Amino acid sequence: MIRWLYTFCLACIFPFFLVWFLFQMVLKNKYRRGFSQRLGMISVDRNMTGEMRRAIWVHAASVGEVR
């Protein structure tokens, strides 16, 4: 019951948060810098060595998660 209520509240609040976020991003120019990186779009630097270009990036909160 509690989980259903929590999910329902999040579903009701999310559209308002999304409008606020887009307003901040478009009109106030907040959060725009690095937005594509948050979506995983990272440009490859031309000066990187061949070994660095083949690297696999892993995002984790701690070293234990990587292990």
Side-chain angles (χ1 to χ4, degrees):
M1 175 73 178
I2 298 294
R3 184 177 174 143
W4 179 85
L5 182 63
Y6 176 76
T7 304
F8 177 74
C9 290
L10 283 180
C12 291
I13 293 171
F14 180 74
F16 296 106
F17 177 72
L18 183 63
V19 169
W20 176 82
F21 179 75
L22 291 174
F23 174 76
Q24 295 287 324
M25 192 170 95
V26 173
L27 297 179
K28 294 189 176 185
N29 205 18
K30 288 178 84 176
Y31 309 116
R32 190 179 293 186
R33 184 176 179 185
F35 185 73
S36 61
Q37 292 178 354
R38 291 185 193 116
L39 297 176
M41 298 175 216
I42 300 173
S43 62
V44 178
D45 189 8
R46 291 184 184 142
N47 296 329
M48 286 184 168
T49 63
E51 186 175 318
M52 285 297 292
R53 286 183 182 212
R54 293 187 306 253
I56 297 174
W57 289 64
V58 177
H59 180 273
S62 67
V63 176
E65 290 181 9
V66 176
R67 286 183 172 175

